[in-house]
Amino acid sequence: EKDGYEHYMLKEIYEQPRALRNTMTGRIDEAGQQIVFPDLQLSTETVKGIEKIYIVACGTAYHAGMIGKHVIESLAQIPVEIDVASEFRYRRPLFKGKTLTIVVSQSGETADTLAALREAKRNGSSILAITNVVGSSIAREANHLITTNAGPEIAVASTKAYTSQLIAFYLLGLYLAQEKETLPSEERKSLIAALQKLPEQVETVLAHAEGIHTFAQSIKDEGHLFFIGRGLDYAVSQEGSLKLKEISYIHSEAYAAGELKHGTLALIQEGTRVIALSTQAELHEKMVSNITEVKARGANVLGIALEDNVELHRSVDDVCLIPSTDALLTPILSVIPLQLIAYYTSVALGNDVDRPRNLAKSVTVE
Ligand code: BG6
């Protein structure tokens, strides 16, 4: 059932192109011009009335939500607040006006997320669930449903569910923008075309991943590592850092690159390993200067960058290249090497990759 792969996690990493295609299937019209969401019962009038969106989730699903916030705000111009479910539940959020609460959960059974859903519902918010399990509690209790069609995910560390959740957010962001008319149709069309190219580009990233074994070997005995990035790259850094912690048990911290100099830079010493993400053209220059800051203190830097970003290549020790795409879509490609780094580091350490210590695939206690 592992199809010849040594672990479920590796199988699921390689299943991503198919999972992404399946999550897009039936949700884009044949001409590639419009998002059609036959399963989503959100009328144009309802969409136009939404004043605020909350996103609540746990773990990896929360990290997908961080990207979702960015996507929805920039495409549909609706303000979005995001919380981890266990915080949202007890902080008494202000439900004023028409709100939509988006709950994201692979399993659809996470107790903290379900409790947050119920709390939002009690406060009169409409609920949209993004989940991978159709008959789950979260799917049943929500008013609106977007299923991610990633197929069953067995490994505790989530991979294909995460990238499929990102696809769900891109489709949703485009759909909201289309109904609200906040995005010129030409831009929507070109974003849809870029979206449809992603599965193939993920295949390209997977086919050129040989160097990652060696990199994993080189970090397996480290005590701690840093992931740095700005904007969407910061959100992906958080996911990369979580993956590494979950299955290799190496401590790492994801830091907004611009915030380093306000404290954490003190922890960078000779030989400190840093993984720097730089996929956003408008932030390249700033990232290069952050990389220079850590290099000046002796850090050894792996850059994750777009293939055409030559300036960045020159400023790092090693580089892992990803194909060019629309700036909003890079997380789907940049997270792949981070998943593989976590995987191969865990393997190099002889850990139980699919069932890491102290963690469960689905946590049904609050
Ligand atoms: C955690 C899992 O406990 O639950 C994580 O170990 C997962 O991998 C998180 O991201 C949320 O799970 P779900 O099913 O709600 O997406």
Side-chain angles (χ1 to χ4, degrees), residues 58-61 104-110 113 138 156-158 165 242-243 246 359-363:
C58 304
T60 289
V104 193
S105 172
Q106 187 284 129
S107 63
E109 300 296 346
T110 300
T113 312
I138 286 174
V156 166
S158 179
Q165 285 157 358
L242 175 65
K243 282 292 82 90
E246 282 180 320
L359 299 176
K361 183 66 182 160
S362 164
V363 182

Side-chain angles (χ1 to χ4, degrees), residues 276-279 284 287-288 291-292 295 301-324:
L277 279 77
S278 185
T279 67
H284 276 167
M287 274 309 294
V288 169
I291 289 166
T292 311
K295 293 272 312 158
V301 182
L302 169 73
I304 312 274
L306 297 177
E307 53 198 2
D308 51 11
N309 185 359
V310 182
E311 205 197 332
L312 191 104
H313 304 178
R314 283 198 222 104
S315 63
V316 294
D317 299 277
D318 285 303
V319 71
C320 176
L321 301 178
I322 60 165
S324 297

Side-chain angles (χ1 to χ4, degrees), residues 69-317:
K69 170 184 160 72
H70 196 107
V71 169
I72 292 171
E73 288 188 336
S74 65
L75 297 180
Q77 293 165 28
I78 305 171
V80 181
E81 267 189 58
I82 169 158
D83 281 277
V84 289
S86 55
E87 288 295 315
F88 179 82
R89 168 96 166 73
Y90 297 104
R91 78 168 168 92
R92 298 180 196 281
L94 298 171
F95 286 95
K96 273 197 195 148
K98 290 217 166 95
T99 62
L100 175 70
T101 303
I102 303 178
V103 295
V104 193
S105 172
Q106 187 284 129
S107 63
E109 300 296 346
T110 300
D112 283 323
T113 312
L114 186 56
L117 178 161
R118 290 178 178 155
E119 182 65 15
K121 225 179 180 182
R122 224 183 344 264
N123 282 282
S125 179
S126 174
I127 313 290
L128 187 158
I130 298 179
T131 176
N132 200 36
V133 181
V134 182
S136 60
S137 307
I138 286 174
R140 279 185 277 116
E141 294 193 26
N143 308 98
H144 309 282
L145 179 63
I146 299 180
T147 53
T148 45
N149 304 323
E153 193 180 63
I154 310 290
V156 166
S158 179
T159 53
K160 63 176 181 171
Y162 171 79
T163 44
S164 301
Q165 285 157 358
L166 297 188
I167 295 291
F169 272 116
Y170 292 127
L171 293 169
L172 177 65
L174 282 165
Y175 180 74
L176 297 174
Q178 176 183 301
E179 299 306 296
K180 283 191 69 188
E181 297 173 51
T182 48
L183 189 71
S185 60
E186 281 311 305
E187 282 181 40
R188 184 176 66 234
K189 261 167 51 185
S190 89
L191 209 50
I192 288 175
L195 204 55
Q196 288 174 317
K197 257 178 80 180
L198 282 174
E200 208 184 301
Q201 292 181 309
V202 170
E203 274 158 17
T204 308
V205 178
L206 288 170
H208 294 95
E210 328 72 36
I212 293 182
H213 292 84
T214 328
F215 181 79
Q217 279 293 337
S218 81
I219 62 164
K220 74 178 190 355
D221 299 317
E222 293 296 325
H224 72 127
L225 259 91
F226 285 94
F227 289 79
I228 59 171
R230 289 169 175 257
L232 290 169
D233 289 334
Y234 172 48
V236 177
S237 297
Q238 302 235 5
E239 174 57 8
S241 173
L242 175 65
K243 282 292 82 90
L244 191 68
K245 283 179 281 210
E246 282 180 320
I247 59 172
S248 76
Y249 318 140
I250 297 175
H251 175 252
S252 65
E253 191 166 359
Y255 231 74
E259 185 67 7
L260 275 175
K261 57 185 174 300
H262 302 296
T264 317
L265 202 48
L267 293 171
I268 305 285
Q269 293 170 319
E270 195 59 43
T272 303
R273 305 299 292 268
V274 176
I275 299 177
L277 279 77
S278 185
T279 67
Q280 303 294 303
E282 56 178 33
L283 299 168
H284 276 167
E285 233 177 273
K286 294 283 177 198
M287 274 309 294
V288 169
S289 88
N290 294 138
I291 289 166
T292 311
E293 275 165 13
V294 297
K295 293 272 312 158
R297 283 149 188 93
N300 178 298
V301 182
L302 169 73
I304 312 274
L306 297 177
E307 53 198 2
D308 51 11
N309 185 359
V310 182
E311 205 197 332
L312 191 104
H313 304 178
R314 283 198 222 104
S315 63
V316 294
D317 299 277

